[in-house]
Amino acid sequence: MLDAGPNRPSAFHVVGGQFHTVFREGEYTLRDGGSTGTGGSQVLALQPAEGGFVEVTFPEAGTYPFVSHVMSDAEKGATGRVVVTP
């Protein structure tokens, strides 16, 4: 993910998913599920011009929407979906 900005932060969130690995700005903030091994992060928060990635395993088949938590943008269509098939 990259928050291309130019002036608002972004918080990438997959509804129904829990990240087990989070990498932001050259550093892991959560790796391999953390101390419990089961994950724990729900958001990758980025400032303008920052980047990172997450890893998530979905618990079951379904459609998992994602947003940036800038809800005014989501209302304008800035959303997406991850479709997981059995």
Side-chain angles (χ1 to χ4, degrees):
M1 300 297 302
L2 171 66
D3 182 348
N7 58 359
R8 282 193 293 184
S10 177
F12 178 69
H13 173 73
V14 179
V15 179
Q18 193 166 25
F19 307 142
H20 55 83
T21 299
V22 178
F23 183 89
R24 179 179 169 269
E25 286 298 288
E27 186 172 344
Y28 284 95
T29 59
L30 179 67
R31 194 169 195 170
D32 299 326
S35 62
T36 64
T38 60
S41 181
Q42 295 184 25
V43 172
L44 171 60
L46 299 170
Q47 293 296 318
E50 288 186 342
F53 68 84
V54 297
E55 293 178 352
V56 58
T57 301
F58 295 100
E60 58 188 52
T63 300
Y64 297 85
F66 59 85
V67 297
S68 71
H69 272 272
V70 179
M71 291 298 126
S72 60
D73 289 344
E75 290 175 354
K76 297 172 190 165
T79 62
R81 301 177 304 162
V82 177
V83 179
V84 178
T85 57

